[in-house]
Amino acid sequence: MNNKTLIFKVASETWEFEAIHRLNYQTFVEEIPQHNSNQEKKLIDKFHEHNSYIICLQGQDLLGMLSVNGKRPFSLDNKLENIDKYLPSFQLICEIRLLSIVSRNRHGDVLSGIFEKFFEFVIKQGYDLGVISGITKQAKLYRHLGFQAFGGLVGAQDVQFQPMYITFDHAIDSKKKLKSLNQNQTIFNYLPGPVSISKSIMTAYSKTPISHRGNDFMKDFSRLQDTLCQRLNTKQAYITTGSGTSANDIIAAQLSKISGKGIVLVSGEFGRRIADHARRANLDYEVFIVDDGLAFTPDFLKQINNDNGKFRWLWMVHCETSTGVLNDVNSIREWCQQQDILLCLDAISTIGSCAVDLTGVYLASATSGKGMGSLPGLALIFSSGLVSEVDCLLPRCFDLSDYEQAQGVPYTISSNAIYGLIIALKKDWDTQFSQVKEWSYDFRVKIEKTKLKVLAHENYRAPHITTIVLPKSVSSSKLGKKMLNLGILVSYNSSYLLKNNWMQICFMGDCQQVTEDAIKYLERAVMPDVISKK
């Protein structure tokens, strides 16, 4: 048994059914001689048209299967007369057949995983009773799972089967006897959020909360602020309850105190959201746009006319998450300094995901989720200097001067969230960033050998986000759902991704390299007749 992940699912692909026919032949022709041999070495079950198959995959290898059929007459109806007289009352009945596991994998993980998925399937379909012809040597196993024998033995003298039934209230009890699906099937999370969370962070969230006014908490909070400032080369770190969107609302509020006009740079969905923040805050600004997949270069900035010094601030997204483009902060910071313009960054998807230097950045936003690797719930704002005292009426939670006067904690904040973030920051960022960069490069090389296209221009690609442009024949929604069924979480369900038929692979939080299984599945997706777009 190798280390590839076991995937338990309902068969849906052409190649999966081909593998089912081959395993059916190996088991019920070669191992248990119930049918005649043939040159193709395939056995298509006579109930195949009505069967649903619960299968176990390891990469492209089929390790085991089980069929479920709800259309009568069943196979058992032809072996035992009037089986209903033996059965308890039921509303919807199914027959379970073709349990088969390849000989080298006949161990608890494959068997328990198949039955776990089976119980989940039959309960979802509304069956309340199932019947099976259990080979006599496995009768003990079936009894353990809740099956009860009825009638006499059926089958030939050399291979006999015991008719058995199970009511699916017993199935729920049987599930408790099996290892849970989540233990057998690793979920590979390539979402930009929620990201995979380490056990130590989850433990911090399960502890009894403490007062945000306590001395020990305030000391730990202050150390957290210092750690963030040191990591990011900035002077002030403000932490409050909220999301990345909340952090950007706070930046918009601070910019409302500055007289003069601003610049909003837009290169995708999240740049457009920055423009919307500015609009809602009634800021005076102009929008400058580049096409999806491109970044803001020094040549582009030269086209912005600031001869009269009319622009006082520039607000942009560091990494345009929708396209996977990473803008070069160094060149933009240099231009802003030359023009005496305050630079503000939405760094929500970059801080904790790749190297970020906030030297000279007036304001920047982040969140405790995403790259930081903790649970969402904290909004973070960073500043290169003290924010001036408010001389206008702002909502209290937007007033950063309140945070300064209260040593960073003017209002209630979750101690669990703070300690979760403290634990998340113990991770070695340099090692993680190097690893993620290597994983992304490897993934993109493999993807670009297929017909799949990476959206971001190769000169501007973020190391932690890859946006894939799918061909028109492939539905991002259908493909994303199929990959979820394989235990692989990819980003596809946001409105802008669905609209453009894009899919994303992201390395954030407690992440891991893209599996070969995921890459192979993406490769198969671009083949004709695998997944068609409705």
Side-chain angles (χ1 to χ4, degrees):
M1 182 89 183
N2 61 36
N3 292 324
K4 284 188 179 180
T5 305
L6 297 180
I7 302 296
F8 301 95
K9 66 181 294 263
V10 179
S12 58
E13 307 300 324
T14 301
W15 68 271
E16 293 171 349
F17 292 118
E18 288 296 311
I20 286 168
H21 301 328
R22 289 193 296 271
L23 180 56
N24 203 22
Y25 183 92
Q26 293 167 14
T27 304
F28 299 106
V29 174
E30 297 179 341
E31 184 177 351
I32 305 174
Q34 293 181 271
H35 301 273
N36 296 327
S37 61
N38 60 62
Q39 290 184 343
E40 290 184 336
K41 293 188 177 298
K42 295 180 184 179
L43 177 60
I44 300 176
D45 185 61
K46 64 181 179 180
F47 298 97
H48 174 68
E49 182 181 350
H50 306 299
N51 287 344
S52 294
Y53 296 94
I54 311 301
I55 61 175
C56 174
L57 298 175
Q58 191 174 55
Q60 293 186 330
D61 295 329
L62 177 66
L63 302 188
M65 66 178 184
L66 182 72
S67 72
V68 182
N69 171 26
K71 185 174 178 62
R72 299 185 79 166
F74 297 148
S75 174
L76 189 53
D77 283 318
N78 298 323
K79 297 174 184 175
L80 185 64
E81 187 177 351
N82 191 15
I83 67 171
D84 289 28
K85 72 179 182 181
Y86 299 100
L87 303 174
S89 61
F90 60 86
Q91 295 294 322
L92 192 60
I93 187 173
C94 65
E95 183 176 38
I96 306 127
R97 298 174 57 248
L98 307 183
L99 175 61
S100 177
I101 298 173
V102 296
S103 57
R104 69 179 183 278
N105 294 98
R106 288 173 182 167
H107 54 74
D109 286 349
V110 174
L111 180 65
S112 63
I114 286 176
F115 270 103
E116 175 76 19
K117 191 68 177 178
F118 159 72
F119 289 134
E120 177 185 299
F121 174 80
V122 293
I123 293 171
K124 185 176 181 180
Q125 296 298 315
Y127 294 114
D128 57 349
L129 188 78
V131 295
I132 191 170
S133 300
I135 192 166
T136 51
K137 66 180 180 180
Q138 295 294 348
K140 183 177 179 180
L141 167 67
Y142 293 127
R143 284 195 298 270
H144 175 73
L145 292 173
F147 287 86
Q148 299 182 51
F150 68 88
L153 297 179
V154 297
Q157 189 65 35
D158 54 340
V159 182
Q160 293 192 310
F161 299 86
Q162 174 63 62
M164 308 181 85
Y165 71 83
I166 184 170
T167 59
F168 292 125
D169 54 348
H170 288 141
I172 297 173
D173 293 333
S174 298
K175 287 181 71 175
K176 295 176 182 178
K177 299 176 183 178
L178 298 166
K179 294 179 180 178
S180 73
L181 181 63
N182 287 337
Q183 290 174 328
N184 285 328
Q185 180 180 355
T186 301
I187 297 294
F188 294 95
N189 186 348
Y190 302 114
L191 297 175
V195 300
S196 294
I197 307 296
S198 70
K199 291 181 180 179
S200 57
I201 293 173
M202 294 306 296
T203 298
Y205 270 83
S206 68
K207 291 185 176 180
T208 302
I210 64 173
S211 171
H212 62 286
R213 300 298 181 202
N215 289 332
D216 289 343
F217 175 81
M218 289 301 299
K219 289 177 182 177
D220 292 334
F221 187 92
S222 178
R223 281 192 287 266
L224 171 60
Q225 290 177 300
D226 291 343
T227 298
L228 288 166
C229 289
Q230 291 167 10
R231 291 270 184 102
L232 300 169
N233 293 328
T234 190
K235 294 180 180 179
Q236 296 290 326
Y238 304 93
I239 307 171
T240 185
T241 301
S243 63
T245 301
S246 304
N248 281 332
D249 276 337
I250 292 174
I251 288 179
Q254 307 314 304
L255 293 178
S256 70
K257 299 186 297 178
I258 299 173
S259 61
K261 205 166 191 176
I263 296 169
V264 175
L265 299 182
V266 174
S267 60
E269 173 65 21
F270 290 90
R272 288 188 284 274
R273 293 185 190 183
I274 292 297
D276 187 56
H277 280 286
R279 179 188 64 82
R280 289 168 182 264
N282 201 29
L283 303 181
D284 185 12
Y285 64 97
E286 289 185 25
V287 174
F288 296 86
I289 303 172
V290 295
D291 292 338
D292 290 347
L294 298 180
F296 296 102
T297 64
D299 289 339
F300 179 89
L301 295 174
K302 289 176 183 177
Q303 300 174 33
I304 300 176
N305 183 0
N306 192 37
D307 290 344
N308 298 323
K310 63 177 179 178
F311 293 119
R312 296 290 311 281
W313 52 265
L314 182 152
W315 195 6
M316 64 177 294
V317 177
H318 184 195
C319 173
E320 178 49 67
T321 310
S322 66
T323 62
V325 166
L326 185 69
N327 287 294
D328 178 22
V329 170
N330 290 333
S331 61
I332 294 168
R333 174 169 37 219
E334 182 179 350
W335 183 83
C336 286
Q337 289 172 345
Q338 292 170 353
Q339 302 293 324
D340 195 24
I341 289 174
L342 297 173
L343 174 59
C344 300
L345 291 179
D346 174 336
I348 291 168
S349 68
T350 49
I351 291 178
S353 297
C354 62
V356 178
D357 182 358
L358 296 181
T359 300
V361 174
Y362 177 56
L363 292 167
S365 56
T367 176
S368 54
K370 294 188 179 292
M372 286 289 197
S374 188
L375 289 170
L378 295 177
L380 287 74
I381 304 94
F382 304 98
S383 177
S384 58
L386 290 175
V387 177
S388 59
E389 192 168 330
V390 176
D391 56 6
C392 61
L393 294 177
L394 287 178
R396 289 174 64 86
C397 62
F398 289 178
D399 185 354
L400 291 182
S401 66
D402 270 11
Y403 293 81
E404 292 170 7
Q405 293 169 13
Q407 297 178 291
V409 189
Y411 318 116
T412 299
I413 194 166
S414 166
S415 62
N416 302 76
I418 292 299
Y419 286 110
L421 183 56
I422 288 171
I423 292 170
L425 287 173
K426 291 180 180 179
K427 183 177 287 188
D428 183 343
W429 277 7
D430 290 339
T431 300
Q432 180 175 327
F433 297 163
S434 176
Q435 204 170 45
V436 164
K437 187 175 182 180
E438 181 181 331
W439 290 347
S440 287
Y441 177 80
D442 179 68
F443 173 69
R444 289 164 182 165
V445 167
K446 291 175 179 176
I447 280 299
E448 291 186 321
K449 288 180 180 178
T450 71
K451 297 178 183 179
L452 294 171
K453 175 188 173 184
V454 175
L455 175 60
H457 187 282
E458 61 183 352
N459 293 338
Y460 316 126
R461 291 176 180 172
H464 57 293
I465 300 175
T466 299
T467 301
I468 301 168
V469 179
L470 295 173
K472 292 182 179 179
S473 60
V474 179
S475 163
S476 60
S477 176
K478 292 176 71 176
L479 178 56
K481 290 174 183 176
K482 284 177 178 286
M483 294 190 74
L484 175 61
N485 198 28
L486 290 172
I488 302 167
L489 302 177
V490 297
S491 184
Y492 70 90
N493 214 20
S494 296
S495 58
Y496 60 89
L497 295 175
L498 292 171
K499 177 182 177 181
N500 293 287
N501 204 38
W502 296 344
M503 177 174 286
Q504 290 182 322
I505 297 287
C506 304
F507 297 108
M508 295 186 183
D510 195 23
C511 56
Q512 54 195 307
Q513 188 169 13
V514 177
T515 66
E516 290 296 326
D517 294 344
I519 293 170
K520 287 177 181 177
Y521 197 82
L522 285 169
E523 290 173 349
R524 288 199 302 273
V526 299
M527 299 177 186
D529 83 346
V530 175
I531 298 173
S532 60
K533 189 171 183 178
K534 289 184 178 180

